[in-house]
Amino acid sequence: KMKKILVTGSTGFIGRFLVNNLLKNDQKVFAIVRKSKKNIEYCSKIKKGNKNFFPIFFNKNSELKKKLSNIKPEILINLATHYINYHPDHNEMNSVINSNIIFPTLVLDICCKSKILKIINLCSVMQCDKNKIDNPLNFYALTKILFKKTMSYYQKKHPKKIFLNLYIGDTYGPNDTRAKILPIIVKNYKKNKKTTILTKNLEMNILHVEDVVNAIKILINNEKKSHDYFIKSNKNFNLYKTVKKFNLQTKRKLKLLWLNKKINNVDNKIKLKAVPKWKPKINVIYNFFKHLNESN
């Protein structure tokens, strides 16, 4: 059955995969997009092949009410995020608060006044430092927690609507250009450059972006009660051993400089249920090796 789905953060890494997947499955997708030359070009490419894709461009938050009031979506998926891993100065603090709290709250408020049935919000394991729920690792995580608290308030006001939070850790996939470890290693390998890694003891738990999309789709189609969920890979992998394995298989070696810094590995033991009938299907290491081999 075709559903009317409103997506924030549709031009981000997960957002692009989710929107393409929903369109392939004949869903009607409305994407709220900040107006820029880059975003207009990207959306026009998608729109050419998809009559069910409707970008909603805006410059200021004050435009949202007018632009969204007539859509009346059945489902809202909030992927909008401004990620930083440091404490921001006041200018950037304003931007992070706007992207992670003010903007999604305004969208949520507009949707809750319409016939919305379900709200799905993407959360980060950084919101659960030391595996404690709502214990922020950094300022970014604090803003994500504050929006989750905002959702709790709206859930009280609208008890018949379904509110879902999906916690995820790190992700990876094709055409990944984010400033994260695996994409940086692939990028540097293409340029024959060395990558510096803090420690040989780095343990990683990474999900393929398509597995994240599949979890969101299960929540779209099947979930009928408000709940918080957590998805993760079946097991962690050690980056040093993974690189060593790749270098044994190839002529052109990966160049990495391993430092001896102490770090706290995220152990991903958050006490939340996994999404029902969801299992990770795509091997991240296989895809990582594949992208490296494509660079040869």
Side-chain angles (χ1 to χ4, degrees), residues 2 6 46 49 61 68 73 78-79 118 120 125 128 132 151 153 175 183 188 193 209 227 234 266 276 282 285 287:
M2 183 184 278
L6 181 64
I46 299 179
N61 286 345
L68 298 180
N78 178 48
L79 306 177
K118 190 178 285 185
I120 299 168
V125 291
C128 307
K132 292 176 188 170
M151 278 186 53
Y153 165 74
N175 306 312
N188 287 345
K193 282 171 70 178
V209 64
H227 215 296
N234 290 328
V266 179
I282 300 172
I285 302 299
N287 276 265

Side-chain angles (χ1 to χ4, degrees), residues 81-172:
T81 194
H82 181 150
Y83 171 71
I84 49 167
N85 60 3
Y86 52 87
H87 193 80
D89 62 25
H90 280 196
N91 282 338
E92 193 165 21
M93 197 177 274
N94 189 45
S95 178
V96 175
I97 289 169
N98 179 53
S99 294
N100 297 351
I101 307 171
I102 298 170
F103 164 69
T105 299
L106 291 169
V107 174
L108 178 63
D109 188 74
I110 294 160
C111 288
C112 281
K113 285 170 182 170
S114 73
K115 292 179 180 177
I116 196 100
L117 303 172
K118 190 178 285 185
I119 297 100
I120 299 168
N121 176 50
L122 212 62
C123 294
S124 165
V125 291
M126 291 180 190
Q127 294 169 231
C128 307
D129 191 29
K130 297 180 172 65
N131 296 313
K132 292 176 188 170
I133 309 291
D134 296 341
N135 184 30
L137 178 68
N138 51 27
F139 186 81
Y140 159 77
L142 171 65
T143 61
K144 297 287 286 177
I145 288 168
L146 290 171
F147 178 68
K148 189 191 155 207
K149 297 279 186 189
T150 303
M151 278 186 53
S152 299
Y153 165 74
Y154 278 88
Q155 191 176 340
K156 276 186 193 174
K157 282 190 76 174
H158 304 277
K160 289 183 180 177
K161 299 184 192 295
I162 301 162
F163 290 78
L164 300 160
N165 289 297
L166 177 63
Y167 285 82
I168 65 166
D170 212 347
T171 54
Y172 181 69

Side-chain angles (χ1 to χ4, degrees), residues 166-285:
L166 177 63
Y167 285 82
I168 65 166
D170 212 347
T171 54
Y172 181 69
N175 306 312
D176 195 343
T177 56
R178 296 170 300 166
K180 290 180 175 277
I181 291 177
L182 297 190
I184 288 170
I185 292 173
V186 173
K187 183 182 172 185
N188 287 345
Y189 186 62
K190 282 179 184 175
K191 295 178 178 178
N192 210 21
K193 282 171 70 178
K194 192 178 281 186
T195 306
T196 303
I197 308 290
L198 292 175
T199 175
K200 288 182 179 179
N201 299 320
L202 183 61
E203 296 284 327
M204 305 183 78
N205 189 292
I206 303 185
L207 280 175
H208 194 278
V209 64
E210 287 176 25
D211 281 325
V212 177
V213 166
N214 286 335
I216 294 170
K217 281 170 66 185
I218 290 170
L219 297 183
I220 290 170
N221 295 318
N222 302 334
E223 206 49 35
K224 289 174 181 160
K225 286 184 181 176
S226 295
H227 215 296
D228 293 352
Y229 291 107
F230 173 45
I231 56 169
K232 62 176 181 174
S233 180
N234 290 328
K235 60 180 182 178
N236 293 358
F237 66 90
N238 178 283
L239 186 62
Y240 176 72
K241 289 176 183 173
T242 302
V243 167
K244 199 174 175 183
K245 187 178 175 183
F246 177 80
N247 282 344
L248 287 169
Q249 296 173 8
T250 186
K251 286 181 181 177
R252 188 160 76 91
K253 312 296 180 194
L254 272 166
K255 296 175 183 175
L256 277 87
L257 174 63
W258 300 95
L259 304 180
N260 197 19
K261 303 273 185 185
K262 278 192 175 180
I263 61 153
N264 293 322
N265 281 309
V266 179
D267 58 11
N268 287 306
K269 289 178 182 171
I270 304 165
K271 288 181 180 174
L272 286 170
K273 284 183 182 178
V275 172
K277 296 180 181 176
W278 174 88
K279 280 183 183 176
K281 292 176 182 174
I282 300 172
N283 187 316
V284 167
I285 302 299

Side-chain angles (χ1 to χ4, degrees), residues 1-2 19-28 217:
K1 187 193 168 187
M2 183 184 278
V19 167
N20 283 327
N21 193 297
L22 293 173
L23 290 168
K24 277 179 192 171
N25 286 278
D26 296 322
Q27 303 298 342
K28 208 171 191 178
K217 281 170 66 185

